[in-house]
Amino acid sequence: MLSQRGTKAPPPLGLEEVQYTQTQVLGHGAAAPDSGQILSQADDDMELTDCYALLRTQVLQRTREKGQNTIMVTSVGKGEGKTLTAINLAMSMAKEMVHTALLVDTNLRDPKIAEYLCLDTTKGLADYLVSDIPLFELLINPGMQKLVVLPAGRPITISTEILGSPRMRHLVQEMKTKYPERYVIFDCPHLLDMPDSLVFSTYVDHVILVVEAGKTTRGDLQKTLSLLEGKPLLGIVMNKARKE
């Protein structure tokens, strides 16, 4: 497969506690009942923690020295676990000693991150892109140190055009360069039969592709990889693989 227990101990040497002055700060909330395993809710699950720590380590090893900090998470088809993968990767990054994480829901047609994290908001990225609402009014700290979330906001049907706009491209570039220690994780729609992620893939440093063991067919995977030909594919995450 291409996060540590919360304690009251002092932060590691060189890591200051982040104080949010404009970003909305929420308390620790429960994950949605059907959301599966979310890292911040499963501190006792060392297997899950180690799994995402391994994914985080592999990402850092392949990107950090090159200054590549924008990662798009997508999948072959719908329902293969890409949103949980994006959430948990961002949370694991936030637990790393020297990095922060920004998690962005770029699935503008069918947003899920606000639901999965039980964020009480109806506004997000779509409102910034369409209604020109300032970004700082839309960012949320969900109660985890060094993690900020930008929800998608209300679902919109013209998502391909909005994601392909100069305003979106400029926003990704701004997110990439504003804080060098920050990794930006974008939860994007699945690739087959939807153009949104293909449009968006030209903006980011790398793409992580999620496939579900026993569900994704070899043919669909090959079609998806052909769509990603020439794109910065970092690796494939096998989700729900059987453990030996």
Side-chain angles (χ1 to χ4, degrees), residues 11 13 19-20 33 35 39 56-57 65 91 93 98 105 123-124 131 147 152 173 178 188 222 229-230 238 244:
L13 185 63
Q19 300 294 330
Y20 298 102
S35 63
L39 210 56
R56 177 190 69 204
T57 300
E65 295 303 317
M91 288 182 171
M93 284 291 186
V98 298
D105 193 341
K123 295 182 179 180
S131 303
L147 174 66
Q173 185 62 25
K178 188 168 186 179
C188 291
Q222 289 175 338
E229 187 173 355
M238 182 67 72
E244 299 296 340

Side-chain angles (χ1 to χ4, degrees), residues 24-225:
Q24 180 183 358
V25 179
L26 303 180
H28 290 280
D34 61 346
S35 63
Q37 292 182 300
I38 291 181
L39 210 56
S40 66
Q41 312 297 328
D43 281 336
D44 290 330
D45 189 340
M46 291 308 299
E47 186 173 1
L48 181 69
T49 298
D50 289 343
C51 185
Y52 278 97
L54 176 59
L55 175 60
R56 177 190 69 204
T57 300
Q58 291 178 297
V59 170
L60 290 175
Q61 287 177 342
R62 300 179 190 186
T63 62
R64 181 157 48 187
E65 295 303 317
K66 302 173 184 177
Q68 298 171 335
N69 60 348
T70 52
I71 311 291
M72 164 183 149
V73 180
T74 184
S75 61
V76 175
K78 193 172 183 179
E80 298 191 59
K82 66 170 183 59
T83 298
L84 282 174
T85 299
I87 291 172
N88 285 338
L89 176 58
M91 288 182 171
S92 188
M93 284 291 186
K95 292 184 177 185
E96 207 269 342
M97 182 177 293
V98 298
H99 293 291
T100 65
L102 171 59
L103 175 63
V104 184
D105 193 341
T106 39
N107 191 348
L108 298 182
R109 298 193 202 189
D110 187 23
K112 292 295 183 185
I113 286 179
E115 177 185 342
Y116 280 10
L117 297 181
C118 292
L119 303 179
D120 185 18
T121 182
T122 58
K123 295 182 179 180
L125 176 61
D127 299 274
Y128 170 82
L129 294 172
V130 177
S131 303
D132 206 24
I133 294 180
L135 196 62
F136 72 85
E137 294 184 14
L138 306 171
L139 296 172
I140 297 173
N141 169 250
M144 172 181 269
Q145 264 295 307
K146 302 197 292 139
L147 174 66
V148 173
V149 178
L150 176 58
R154 65 186 189 277
I156 58 176
T157 57
I158 56 169
S159 56
T160 306
E161 292 77 10
I162 294 299
L163 290 176
S165 67
R167 186 169 173 79
M168 184 72 242
R169 182 187 292 271
H170 176 77
L171 177 61
V172 175
Q173 185 62 25
E174 181 182 349
M175 289 175 171
K176 174 178 174 61
T177 57
K178 188 168 186 179
Y179 301 109
E181 77 284 355
R182 181 172 66 185
Y183 271 77
V184 189
I185 310 298
F186 298 93
D187 177 35
C188 291
H190 61 277
L191 273 161
L192 281 188
D193 70 48
M194 284 190 68
D196 294 28
S197 291
L198 273 183
V199 170
F200 194 78
S201 65
T202 62
Y203 304 160
V204 296
D205 295 316
H206 287 290
V207 177
I208 291 177
L209 180 65
V210 178
V211 300
E212 181 178 338
K215 178 178 179 179
T216 308
T217 67
R218 183 181 296 272
D220 284 346
L221 178 57
Q222 289 175 338
K223 290 177 186 176
T224 303
L225 291 175

